[in-house]
mmCIF file of all heavy atoms in Angstrom:
data_model
loop_
_atom_site.group_PDB
_atom_site.id
_atom_site.type_symbol
_atom_site.label_atom_id
_atom_site.label_comp_id
_atom_site.label_asym_id
_atom_site.label_seq_id
_atom_site.Cartn_x
_atom_site.Cartn_y
_atom_site.Cartn_z
ATOM 1 N N ARG A 11 86.039 57.562 -81.387
ATOM 2 C CA ARG A 11 85.433 56.492 -80.593
ATOM 3 C C ARG A 11 86.488 55.594 -79.987
ATOM 4 O O ARG A 11 86.259 54.941 -78.971
ATOM 5 C CB ARG A 11 84.512 55.660 -81.484
ATOM 6 C CG ARG A 11 83.296 56.454 -81.889
ATOM 7 C CD ARG A 11 82.452 55.646 -82.837
ATOM 8 N NE ARG A 11 82.150 54.324 -82.289
ATOM 9 C CZ ARG A 11 81.578 53.372 -83.000
ATOM 10 N NH1 ARG A 11 81.248 53.598 -84.241
ATOM 11 N NH2 ARG A 11 81.318 52.218 -82.464
ATOM 12 N N GLU A 13 89.203 56.174 -78.472
ATOM 13 C CA GLU A 13 89.591 56.523 -77.115
ATOM 14 C C GLU A 13 88.578 56.011 -76.115
ATOM 15 O O GLU A 13 88.915 55.466 -75.075
ATOM 16 C CB GLU A 13 89.683 58.043 -76.991
ATOM 17 C CG GLU A 13 90.951 58.607 -77.576
ATOM 18 C CD GLU A 13 91.038 60.096 -77.314
ATOM 19 O OE1 GLU A 13 90.115 60.796 -77.774
ATOM 20 O OE2 GLU A 13 91.982 60.541 -76.670
ATOM 21 N N GLU A 20 94.524 50.553 -65.908
ATOM 22 C CA GLU A 20 94.071 50.165 -64.573
ATOM 23 C C GLU A 20 93.007 49.095 -64.684
ATOM 24 O O GLU A 20 92.923 48.186 -63.900
ATOM 25 C CB GLU A 20 93.503 51.353 -63.817
ATOM 26 C CG GLU A 20 94.564 52.197 -63.160
ATOM 27 C CD GLU A 20 95.341 52.967 -64.199
ATOM 28 O OE1 GLU A 20 94.755 53.264 -65.252
ATOM 29 O OE2 GLU A 20 96.528 53.253 -63.963
ATOM 30 N N ASN A 50 112.568 27.361 -69.284
ATOM 31 C CA ASN A 50 112.009 28.685 -69.102
ATOM 32 C C ASN A 50 112.211 29.174 -67.683
ATOM 33 O O ASN A 50 111.559 28.737 -66.755
ATOM 34 C CB ASN A 50 110.517 28.645 -69.427
ATOM 35 C CG ASN A 50 110.023 30.036 -69.693
ATOM 36 O OD1 ASN A 50 110.708 31.003 -69.406
ATOM 37 N ND2 ASN A 50 108.835 30.140 -70.239
ATOM 38 N N SER A 79 103.348 9.271 -94.134
ATOM 39 C CA SER A 79 104.636 9.843 -94.503
ATOM 40 C C SER A 79 105.727 8.788 -94.463
ATOM 41 O O SER A 79 106.271 8.470 -93.420
ATOM 42 C CB SER A 79 104.979 10.989 -93.550
ATOM 43 O OG SER A 79 105.100 10.472 -92.254
ATOM 44 N N SER A 100 119.773 17.921 -69.345
ATOM 45 C CA SER A 100 120.388 18.191 -68.048
ATOM 46 C C SER A 100 119.592 19.230 -67.259
ATOM 47 O O SER A 100 119.292 19.053 -66.090
ATOM 48 C CB SER A 100 121.809 18.714 -68.277
ATOM 49 O OG SER A 100 121.754 19.826 -69.153
ATOM 50 N N GLU A 105 114.398 20.319 -63.798
ATOM 51 C CA GLU A 105 113.413 21.354 -63.478
ATOM 52 C C GLU A 105 112.029 20.766 -63.360
ATOM 53 O O GLU A 105 111.684 19.788 -64.005
ATOM 54 C CB GLU A 105 113.423 22.423 -64.566
ATOM 55 C CG GLU A 105 114.660 23.285 -64.508
ATOM 56 C CD GLU A 105 114.802 23.936 -63.143
ATOM 57 O OE1 GLU A 105 113.789 24.411 -62.616
ATOM 58 O OE2 GLU A 105 115.926 23.952 -62.628
ATOM 59 N N ALA A 108 106.078 21.765 -63.731
ATOM 60 C CA ALA A 108 104.974 22.601 -63.262
ATOM 61 C C ALA A 108 105.361 24.071 -63.333
ATOM 62 O O ALA A 108 104.545 24.928 -63.621
ATOM 63 C CB ALA A 108 104.617 22.229 -61.827
ATOM 64 N N PRO A 114 98.527 29.084 -72.186
ATOM 65 C CA PRO A 114 97.273 28.506 -72.652
ATOM 66 C C PRO A 114 96.899 29.083 -73.998
ATOM 67 O O PRO A 114 97.331 30.166 -74.362
ATOM 68 C CB PRO A 114 96.244 28.934 -71.597
ATOM 69 C CG PRO A 114 97.011 29.536 -70.495
ATOM 70 C CD PRO A 114 98.371 29.890 -71.002
ATOM 71 N N LEU A 122 88.918 41.312 -78.063
ATOM 72 C CA LEU A 122 90.360 41.278 -78.184
ATOM 73 C C LEU A 122 90.756 41.602 -79.609
ATOM 74 O O LEU A 122 91.682 42.367 -79.861
ATOM 75 C CB LEU A 122 90.872 39.890 -77.807
ATOM 76 C CG LEU A 122 92.392 39.776 -77.796
ATOM 77 C CD1 LEU A 122 92.996 40.823 -76.901
ATOM 78 C CD2 LEU A 122 92.803 38.399 -77.368
ATOM 79 N N ALA A 129 94.566 48.762 -82.916
ATOM 80 C CA ALA A 129 96.007 48.979 -82.878
ATOM 81 C C ALA A 129 96.571 49.048 -84.283
ATOM 82 O O ALA A 129 97.344 49.945 -84.621
ATOM 83 C CB ALA A 129 96.677 47.858 -82.095
ATOM 84 N N VAL A 149 98.166 44.243 -74.097
ATOM 85 C CA VAL A 149 97.460 43.177 -73.403
ATOM 86 C C VAL A 149 98.501 42.201 -72.904
ATOM 87 O O VAL A 149 99.174 41.570 -73.713
ATOM 88 C CB VAL A 149 96.511 42.444 -74.361
ATOM 89 C CG1 VAL A 149 95.903 41.244 -73.687
ATOM 90 C CG2 VAL A 149 95.446 43.405 -74.846
ATOM 91 N N HIS A 160 97.908 35.893 -85.615
ATOM 92 C CA HIS A 160 96.609 36.497 -85.859
ATOM 93 C C HIS A 160 96.700 37.484 -87.019
ATOM 94 O O HIS A 160 95.791 37.565 -87.844
ATOM 95 C CB HIS A 160 96.121 37.211 -84.603
ATOM 96 C CG HIS A 160 94.685 37.609 -84.674
ATOM 97 N ND1 HIS A 160 93.663 36.684 -84.705
ATOM 98 C CD2 HIS A 160 94.086 38.820 -84.734
ATOM 99 C CE1 HIS A 160 92.510 37.322 -84.775
ATOM 100 N NE2 HIS A 160 92.724 38.621 -84.793
ATOM 101 N N ARG A 165 95.371 39.463 -92.314
ATOM 102 C CA ARG A 165 95.765 39.957 -93.624
ATOM 103 C C ARG A 165 95.077 39.166 -94.720
ATOM 104 O O ARG A 165 94.628 39.723 -95.719
ATOM 105 C CB ARG A 165 97.271 39.847 -93.790
ATOM 106 C CG ARG A 165 97.988 40.979 -93.112
ATOM 107 C CD ARG A 165 99.483 40.753 -93.124
ATOM 108 N NE ARG A 165 100.192 41.900 -92.577
ATOM 109 C CZ ARG A 165 101.379 41.832 -92.052
ATOM 110 N NH1 ARG A 165 101.990 40.673 -91.972
ATOM 111 N NH2 ARG A 165 101.957 42.914 -91.594
ATOM 112 N N LEU A 168 91.631 40.402 -94.951
ATOM 113 C CA LEU A 168 91.541 41.694 -95.624
ATOM 114 C C LEU A 168 91.668 41.521 -97.131
ATOM 115 O O LEU A 168 90.937 42.124 -97.902
ATOM 116 C CB LEU A 168 92.639 42.626 -95.120
ATOM 117 C CG LEU A 168 92.418 43.171 -93.719
ATOM 118 C CD1 LEU A 168 93.508 44.158 -93.362
ATOM 119 C CD2 LEU A 168 91.059 43.841 -93.616
ATOM 120 N N MET A 171 88.607 40.269 -98.516
ATOM 121 C CA MET A 171 87.556 41.279 -98.497
ATOM 122 C C MET A 171 87.753 42.289 -99.626
ATOM 123 O O MET A 171 86.799 42.735 -100.242
ATOM 124 C CB MET A 171 87.575 42.004 -97.154
ATOM 125 C CG MET A 171 87.062 41.151 -96.026
ATOM 126 S SD MET A 171 85.401 40.547 -96.327
ATOM 127 C CE MET A 171 84.456 41.992 -95.892
ATOM 128 N N SER A 176 83.055 45.790 -102.566
ATOM 129 C CA SER A 176 83.336 47.137 -103.044
ATOM 130 C C SER A 176 82.485 48.128 -102.277
ATOM 131 O O SER A 176 81.291 48.188 -102.451
ATOM 132 C CB SER A 176 83.002 47.245 -104.520
ATOM 133 O OG SER A 176 83.171 45.984 -105.122
ATOM 134 N N SER A 178 80.514 48.799 -99.905
ATOM 135 C CA SER A 178 79.626 48.400 -98.819
ATOM 136 C C SER A 178 80.299 47.376 -97.918
ATOM 137 O O SER A 178 79.940 47.205 -96.769
ATOM 138 C CB SER A 178 78.347 47.819 -99.389
ATOM 139 O OG SER A 178 78.664 46.797 -100.312
ATOM 140 N N GLY A 182 80.258 47.496 -94.173
ATOM 141 C CA GLY A 182 79.642 46.319 -93.574
ATOM 142 C C GLY A 182 80.223 46.048 -92.202
ATOM 143 O O GLY A 182 79.593 45.428 -91.363
ATOM 144 N N ALA A 187 78.633 41.736 -87.193
ATOM 145 C CA ALA A 187 78.368 40.314 -87.202
ATOM 146 C C ALA A 187 77.099 39.966 -87.966
ATOM 147 O O ALA A 187 76.926 38.852 -88.421
ATOM 148 C CB ALA A 187 78.248 39.799 -85.762
ATOM 149 N N LEU A 201 84.864 35.841 -86.910
ATOM 150 C CA LEU A 201 85.620 36.584 -85.909
ATOM 151 C C LEU A 201 85.911 37.985 -86.425
ATOM 152 O O LEU A 201 85.608 38.983 -85.803
ATOM 153 C CB LEU A 201 86.929 35.871 -85.616
ATOM 154 C CG LEU A 201 87.581 36.149 -84.280
ATOM 155 C CD1 LEU A 201 89.036 35.870 -84.340
ATOM 156 C CD2 LEU A 201 87.274 37.513 -83.740
ATOM 157 N N GLY A 215 95.943 51.554 -102.101
ATOM 158 C CA GLY A 215 96.441 52.766 -102.732
ATOM 159 C C GLY A 215 95.644 53.969 -102.289
ATOM 160 O O GLY A 215 94.705 54.368 -102.925
ATOM 161 N N HIS A 221 97.987 60.140 -93.127
ATOM 162 C CA HIS A 221 98.483 60.980 -92.050
ATOM 163 C C HIS A 221 97.543 60.974 -90.857
ATOM 164 O O HIS A 221 96.665 61.784 -90.742
ATOM 165 C CB HIS A 221 98.660 62.406 -92.545
ATOM 166 C CG HIS A 221 97.400 62.929 -93.175
ATOM 167 N ND1 HIS A 221 97.070 62.638 -94.472
ATOM 168 C CD2 HIS A 221 96.399 63.683 -92.689
ATOM 169 C CE1 HIS A 221 95.926 63.230 -94.759
ATOM 170 N NE2 HIS A 221 95.495 63.857 -93.694
ATOM 171 N N GLN A 250 75.794 27.371 -77.393
ATOM 172 C CA GLN A 250 74.650 28.020 -78.047
ATOM 173 C C GLN A 250 74.822 29.515 -78.049
ATOM 174 O O GLN A 250 74.582 30.185 -79.036
ATOM 175 C CB GLN A 250 73.368 27.687 -77.301
ATOM 176 C CG GLN A 250 73.373 26.260 -76.796
ATOM 177 C CD GLN A 250 72.848 26.176 -75.388
ATOM 178 O OE1 GLN A 250 72.460 27.180 -74.825
ATOM 179 N NE2 GLN A 250 72.845 24.986 -74.834
ATOM 180 N N SER A 281 85.025 43.988 -61.329
ATOM 181 C CA SER A 281 85.160 42.881 -60.415
ATOM 182 C C SER A 281 84.853 41.580 -61.142
ATOM 183 O O SER A 281 83.795 41.411 -61.716
ATOM 184 C CB SER A 281 84.189 43.053 -59.256
ATOM 185 O OG SER A 281 82.918 43.320 -59.770
ATOM 186 N N GLU A 298 83.608 33.924 -66.243
ATOM 187 C CA GLU A 298 84.739 33.072 -65.956
ATOM 188 C C GLU A 298 84.217 31.725 -65.503
ATOM 189 O O GLU A 298 83.363 31.637 -64.648
ATOM 190 C CB GLU A 298 85.576 33.699 -64.858
ATOM 191 C CG GLU A 298 86.730 32.843 -64.511
ATOM 192 C CD GLU A 298 87.568 33.559 -63.487
ATOM 193 O OE1 GLU A 298 87.068 34.519 -62.912
ATOM 194 O OE2 GLU A 298 88.688 33.150 -63.273
ATOM 195 N N SER A 302 84.360 24.414 -66.386
ATOM 196 C CA SER A 302 83.995 23.938 -67.721
ATOM 197 C C SER A 302 84.887 24.539 -68.791
ATOM 198 O O SER A 302 84.561 24.541 -69.948
ATOM 199 C CB SER A 302 82.542 24.299 -68.002
ATOM 200 O OG SER A 302 82.250 25.548 -67.425
ATOM 201 N N GLY A 305 86.750 23.274 -73.134
ATOM 202 C CA GLY A 305 85.836 23.062 -74.240
ATOM 203 C C GLY A 305 86.470 22.137 -75.251
ATOM 204 O O GLY A 305 85.808 21.378 -75.935
ATOM 205 N N GLY A 308 91.053 18.242 -73.270
ATOM 206 C CA GLY A 308 91.937 18.473 -72.137
ATOM 207 C C GLY A 308 92.597 19.827 -72.213
ATOM 208 O O GLY A 308 93.356 20.195 -71.359
#
Side-chain angles (χ1 to χ4, degrees):
Chain A
R11 291 176 52 189
E13 282 185 300
E20 277 72 29
N50 199 347
S79 63
S100 54
E105 288 303 317
L122 185 55
V149 173
H160 192 67
R165 280 172 175 156
L168 287 184
M171 288 303 280
S176 331
S178 53
L201 203 203
H221 53 278
Q250 322 137 2
S281 50
E298 179 176 15
S302 36

